Amino acid sequence: MRPEYEPHRDRRERILAELATRGGGVLVLPTAPEVVRNRDTHYPYRHDSHFYYLTGFTEPEAALVLLAGRGRKRARRILFCRRRDPEREIWDGYRFGPAAARDRFGFDAAWPIDELDRRLPALIEDQPALYTLLGRDPAWDARVMRWLERVRDRARSGVRAPERLVEARASIDALRLVKDADEIGRMRQAAAISAAAHRRAMRATRPGLYEYAIEAELIHEFRRQGADAPAYPPIVAGGGNACILHYVDNRARLEAGQLLLVDAGAEYMSYAGDITRTWPVSGRFSGPQREVYEIVLAAQAAALDAVRPGEPWNAFHDAAVRVLTRGMVDLGLLAGEVDGLIESGAYKRFYMHRTGHWLGLDVHDAGEYKQDGAWRRLEPGMTLTVEPGLYIRAGEGVPEALAGIGVRIEDDVLVTPVGHEVLSAAAPKTVTAIEEEMRAGMEGSPAHA
Ligand code: GLY
Ligand code: MN
Ligand code: MN
């Protein structure tokens, strides 16, 4: 078996190779800070995604330094992290400390994080460029400036400060956009756990429960299967709440006859799942609910058809918009020609978001959607969501039978050399499959059958 750090090491080498082709330089990347929630309690800690991508290291208070090789100088990979601290470790648990972290994560050197300010000026001197993430944390930006100042102060001893300060995001984002085998394995598992949680939630749904009870089922399944946490706050939206796109209150009572929209995904080994399913609270779709549902399902099928290598990023969105807009006309929500309704943007009254986003370490993952002004073309190894929806708020011209219906269907998709693979396919999606899943839940013991 390959040692745990290998994929991260490969990515560091790719970044180092890119720095070398750009004339060399040094990359300095901190992980995320810990954030106080209240008094002496912190928010659950989550490492920075860029930092983790290149290190695999999950402790707070750490930084990565990569020095590109030049001439006879060899490239160097350095980690700064917390020292061992037996007293603190009694309270907070194990920390690697520099020596063990260096060996375990494959660095040339590792030093205590409290030496970062002392050591950094020497590491960046005589380097042509300093790459870091700028404009994200003013305290970090100020620190970078101080290191540069310190090097400039030593100009009389013949050292030079980097001439170029470069935003490193684009280089790392470009790598993150195409997933390697290790990442795809984790994403497969994140999607599988997320799908299992949706099945569990479907089986547990009953009129009279509150939205938070369904949220509890989702989180139970995430953690039972070893997921780190939800990848984002779950949306559990009964009835008209489904038309509030970022509804996370999750406190309303579920009533017979409503639909329930659930948008929830697990984070597994730092990678996000992101699935939406919509199902009837009492286990059977009504006629109008089914009509709307089938339109969204057809829109998703049309969109998925456009997910394959070489297709531009907007193709699957355009495919979904076309089917949804035709559906809006069929439902009597809009009147006119489909082309005209698309061109004027009239469809946005009922479909106001894009049909997907990159997915990976972040739920809305790193990577540009355009390249040189044109939509990016899909490539094998890219991962994205495909998530059309219809949100019919009560209002002028909306038939009463449709008012308050909100449907979204969202899957996690890997672009393959020949087309795509739906990673979240285990979550029931057709009307029949959903009703069957719910029937199994109603017949068995509540939930978790
Ligand atoms: N759950 C966030 C999204 O679907 O984009
Ligand atoms: Mn999404
Ligand atoms: Mn989602």
Side-chain angles (χ1 to χ4, degrees), residues 77-105:
R77 306 115 187 119
I78 301 164
L79 179 73
F80 285 85
C81 66
R82 299 181 301 189
R83 297 172 188 271
R84 296 294 309 267
D85 182 341
E87 177 64 23
R88 282 296 347 143
E89 287 177 47
I90 291 171
W91 294 87
D92 301 334
Y94 177 77
R95 33 176 92 174
F96 277 95
R102 178 196 60 218
D103 296 345
R104 169 75 177 272
F105 295 88

Side-chain angles (χ1 to χ4, degrees), residues 232 235 263-264 274-276 357 363 385 387 408 410:
Y232 53 91
I235 295 169
D263 183 345
D274 182 10
I275 301 180
T276 307
H357 49 82
V363 63
T385 67
E387 50 177 305
R408 177 163 66 254
E410 175 175 30

Side-chain angles (χ1 to χ4, degrees), residues 294-360:
E294 293 290 4
I295 290 166
V296 178
L297 191 60
Q300 207 217 22
L304 285 169
D305 258 355
V307 177
R308 55 173 179 261
E311 286 287 335
W313 168 259
N314 62 326
F316 75 94
H317 175 67
D318 290 349
V321 164
R322 183 153 292 277
V323 176
L324 291 170
T325 307
R326 189 174 307 126
M328 292 173 207
V329 175
D330 294 345
L331 290 169
L333 294 168
L334 295 179
E337 293 294 322
V338 169
D339 284 337
L341 295 168
I342 292 173
E343 203 157 316
S344 69
Y347 71 88
K348 289 182 184 166
R349 179 174 170 200
F350 304 105
Y351 182 50
M352 56 298 280
H353 61 75
R354 300 283 305 181
T355 307
H357 49 82
W358 305 127
L359 182 70

Side-chain angles (χ1 to χ4, degrees), residues 101-136:
R102 178 196 60 218
D103 296 345
R104 169 75 177 272
F105 295 88
F107 286 92
D108 299 317
W111 292 317
I113 188 73
D114 54 36
E115 295 180 5
L116 187 67
D117 288 316
R118 181 164 70 74
R119 289 185 181 265
L120 241 290
L123 289 170
I124 64 176
E125 70 183 26
D126 290 333
Q127 290 286 342
L130 171 58
Y131 291 77
T132 189
L133 297 181
L134 294 165
R136 197 173 53 160

